[in-house]
Amino acid sequence: MIKQISVYDFDGTVVDSSHRYRTQIDANGVEKIDLQYWIDNEHKTLDDTLLPLAARFKEELANPEIFVIVATARIWCELSEKMAVRDGVKAQHIIARKDRNDQRGGAALKITGLKRLLNLKQFKNVKEIHIFEDNQNYFNDLVDAFNGIGHFYPSNQGH
């Protein structure tokens, strides 16, 4: 029986994809991800490496009482899938953008996907929802939305 759900952001928490990541300052002076640079470097996904939190991710994945979810703002492309399988960080469920037309904010994307999933009857006995995130705003929104137990992992990718 599933007693816990662990929701992991991917980039900057489980994997280091900083080699294909950079930021830029927008018109309002806010530092944000340079999305075009990210898109242009998507072909380097197989060069992503695991971060220390991946060890906990793998331990929880092996525990039948924990359901492990990746909730990421990235598009979960073929290369993402291949890298996750290769490195043993393929979650039981993935919430991600389907394509570039999905322009929702990252927190909204994750919250909508999680709410849909948590309505399923196999999750009725869940006692705890753990949230692992490197973006402070997403972290706050997710913890609040699900009364979750938060684990904040600041990274250079948490924009």
Side-chain angles (χ1 to χ4, degrees):
M1 174 176 18
I2 299 170
K3 295 181 180 174
Q4 175 185 318
I5 292 176
S6 289
V7 181
Y8 288 86
D9 177 48
F10 208 58
D11 300 293
T13 55
V14 177
V15 301
D16 180 359
S17 52
S18 61
H19 63 97
R20 56 193 184 93
Y21 176 91
R22 72 178 183 198
T23 59
Q24 61 186 10
I25 306 299
D26 72 9
N28 298 320
V30 177
E31 186 177 20
K32 292 188 172 190
I33 183 174
D34 181 344
L35 192 53
Q36 190 57 55
Y37 184 81
W38 177 263
I39 291 166
D40 292 346
N41 287 282
E42 190 173 63
H43 66 280
K44 297 178 181 177
T45 300
L46 292 177
D47 294 332
D48 293 356
T49 57
L50 297 181
L51 290 167
L53 185 58
R56 179 172 178 166
F57 182 103
K58 290 177 180 184
E59 287 173 14
E60 291 191 347
L61 201 54
N63 185 335
E65 294 184 347
I66 302 175
F67 191 81
V68 178
I69 299 168
V70 162
T72 178
R74 75 159 62 182
I75 294 172
W76 196 262
C77 66
E78 212 174 291
L79 292 174
S80 296
E81 181 74 11
K82 189 173 184 177
M83 184 275 307
V85 169
R86 177 196 71 198
D87 293 344
V89 290
K90 174 70 175 9
Q92 291 157 301
H93 187 78
I94 297 165
I95 297 167
R97 297 185 196 285
K98 302 298 182 216
D99 57 39
R100 302 213 192 288
N101 294 323
D102 188 346
Q103 297 295 312
R104 289 177 288 173
L109 170 88
K110 295 175 183 191
I111 289 170
T112 300
L114 287 167
K115 282 184 177 179
R116 194 173 310 137
L117 186 68
L118 294 176
N119 282 327
L120 299 175
K121 65 181 172 183
Q122 65 259 43
F123 300 119
K124 69 178 179 175
N125 294 317
V126 168
K127 303 278 189 259
E128 296 179 344
I129 299 174
H130 289 258
I131 309 290
F132 299 86
E133 180 64 62
D134 70 335
N135 179 299
Q136 187 69 60
N137 293 326
Y138 296 1
F139 175 80
N140 294 340
D141 291 348
L142 287 162
V143 169
D144 289 348
F146 300 102
N147 195 26
I149 299 166
H151 307 272
F152 183 68
Y153 286 82
S155 81
N156 66 339
Q157 294 182 250
H159 294 94

